[in-house]
Amino acid sequence: MPPKKGGDKGGKAGKGGTAAEEELLTQLNAVKAFQKSHAASSLMHSVEPLAISVGSGECAFARAVVAPHLVPMDKGGVTPLHVRALLEGFSGAYYPYLQTLAIWNVPLGDIGASYVSQYLKTRTCALKSMELNDCGIGPLGCKALGEGLEVNKSLLHLQLDMNMLGDAGASQLGDYLPGNHALAALSLQYCGLTESAGVIIASRVMRLTTLTSLDLRGNALGGAGVCAVLHAMVSHNGGDTPHPALVHLGLADTSCAVEGEVCEALRACVEKNALCGSFDLKHNPIGDTATYEFVKLFKTTCAHVHVFEVSETTSAGPLDPLLYKQLYTVTGANHKDWLKAQKKKKGKGGGKGGKQGKKKKK
């Protein structure tokens, strides 16, 4: 048999093209299998299949969005059974490409949350991000999700914003999340949490060593709840070391003035936790004196803080305009340095080679 034209390079290109075609065919078959499985599960639950976007259908899709417009209200709207049929469609087809599941303003309730939990437990679940915002999930739903998260090893980002979880819901999450070893970002914005939930989150949820971002915006944690969270940033699991992973803490609009014990706890967090450099404290009253003290810290010993969001005007009155500007000037400069440091970290893989190359040139 005569050799192929183009030599080794041509042969490799040919193999690469064949592999790419085979991968596309595999993805196309996976989409078809999902559609067939989704139709079957929808029929079993006596609902119409949700018309989620699957892209061109010529390759796998990685994102599924469920929103109210998928089923008109005069036809009953999207129900938990619609979501159950969808998720059973994914698991029944062993669909491995789904990375993001976003369910917005759909009345899942606790029963719907249990269906999501079942999907999280499946072997083929490869979700990286999940948003269950404004879905009517309560404490029982939190328990179900916690059970799923305790088993799941893929999910990195979880949003449960605008669900009335309450302190009981936070407690349920606290029972299960410490057993998770993957979750990196948790958002519990406007979830009806109070001071008690702040203590629960600090002592149990923040035991997660993989957690890099925690957002508690819009919850009435008050001074005691906020202080508990800040103390946990400095004393992880009650020990002598700071939290090993958290880099962003969202405490905006938490019914707490940055003064007295709260100001002291925040200062201790900034000084003793050099990893966390991003804080959101908007809509919490903070005075000129406290702001000035933090500006001095960010200029000198705590230059790792590169985001420090506060409101220009709060219920306590407006901040001094020049001081407000100075705060953002200082943190802005720190942010530029932080970005440079991130680029250096990403380039470390080729850094050694680059240094060796320079030495050879000399």
Side-chain angles (χ1 to χ4, degrees):
M1 184 176 179
K4 293 181 180 178
K5 291 182 180 180
D8 292 338
K9 289 184 179 179
K12 287 180 181 178
K15 287 182 180 179
T18 303
E21 289 172 3
E22 288 179 355
E23 173 59 25
L24 281 176
L25 182 60
T26 299
Q27 292 185 20
L28 176 60
N29 289 335
V31 173
K32 288 180 178 178
F34 156 71
Q35 290 172 326
K36 184 177 180 180
S37 177
H38 185 199
S41 59
S42 297
L43 181 63
M44 183 174 66
H45 296 300
S46 303
V47 295
E48 288 292 321
L50 292 175
I52 64 167
S53 173
V54 296
S56 64
E58 296 176 358
C59 62
F61 61 97
R63 180 180 175 86
V65 178
V66 180
H69 72 274
L70 292 180
V71 180
M73 290 307 298
D74 59 0
K75 292 187 178 180
V78 180
T79 68
L81 281 180
H82 284 98
V83 174
R84 181 180 185 179
L86 176 69
L87 297 177
E88 288 179 356
F90 285 121
S91 59
Y94 300 101
Y95 187 82
Y97 299 103
L98 190 66
Q99 299 285 300
T100 300
L101 175 65
I103 305 178
W104 304 325
N105 194 25
V106 168
L108 278 182
D110 293 335
I111 186 67
S114 71
Y115 299 149
V116 174
S117 176
Q118 288 301 316
Y119 179 65
L120 289 174
K121 295 176 185 177
T122 60
R123 288 183 298 172
T124 52
C125 177
L127 281 179
K128 300 296 182 186
S129 177
M130 185 166 70
E131 303 169 17
L132 305 177
N133 296 337
D134 195 14
C135 290
I137 298 171
L140 289 177
C142 282
K143 182 177 186 296
L145 290 173
E147 291 171 348
L149 288 166
E150 192 174 40
V151 174
N152 183 274
K153 296 178 181 179
S154 67
L155 195 70
L156 301 177
H157 305 277
L158 175 63
Q159 282 186 19
L160 293 173
D161 301 345
M162 293 178 286
N163 291 291
M164 287 299 104
L165 310 180
D167 297 347
S171 181
Q172 293 290 357
L173 289 175
D175 286 343
Y176 294 97
L177 281 183
N180 180 283
H181 301 290
L183 194 67
L186 176 63
S187 182
L188 301 174
Q189 299 182 44
Y190 300 98
C191 287
L193 309 181
T194 70
E195 290 185 358
S196 298
V199 175
I200 291 167
I201 289 168
S203 60
R204 288 146 69 181
V205 174
M206 290 177 69
R207 286 171 57 192
L208 263 172
T209 57
T210 55
L211 196 64
T212 62
S213 176
L214 176 63
D215 203 328
L216 302 171
R217 171 189 284 262
N219 294 291
L221 301 181
V226 168
C227 279
V229 171
L230 291 170
H231 289 322
M233 292 290 292
V234 175
S235 177
H236 186 239
N237 283 350
D240 298 325
T241 57
H243 194 283
L246 264 165
V247 296
H248 170 74
L249 183 60
L251 294 170
D253 195 16
T254 46
S255 303
C256 158
V258 184
E259 60 185 18
E261 291 183 4
V262 174
C263 191
E264 290 175 13
L266 181 58
R267 182 179 181 123
C269 178
V270 166
E271 290 181 322
K272 298 179 181 180
N273 188 324
L275 184 62
C276 188
S278 177
F279 297 85
D280 185 359
L281 297 162
K282 281 188 172 181
H283 310 300
N284 291 316
I286 182 170
D288 290 345
T289 302
T291 304
Y292 179 65
E293 290 300 318
F294 284 113
V295 168
K296 287 196 299 181
L297 282 175
F298 303 156
K299 271 185 176 181
T300 54
T301 56
C302 299
H304 64 279
V305 177
H306 58 99
V307 176
F308 194 79
E309 299 281 355
V310 298
S311 295
E312 190 172 3
T313 301
T314 67
S315 57
L319 275 177
D320 179 273
L322 292 177
L323 185 58
Y324 181 77
K325 183 179 179 180
Q326 190 178 13
L327 172 64
Y328 280 89
T329 299
V330 171
T331 53
N334 290 350
H335 189 68
K336 287 181 181 179
D337 293 337
W338 178 80
L339 288 174
K340 289 178 183 177
Q342 297 308 303
K343 286 181 181 178
K344 284 183 181 179
K345 284 182 181 178
K346 288 181 181 178
K348 270 187 177 179
K352 290 181 180 179
K355 287 178 182 178
Q356 288 175 358
K358 287 180 182 178
K359 287 179 181 179
K360 286 180 181 179
K361 284 182 181 180
K362 288 179 180 179

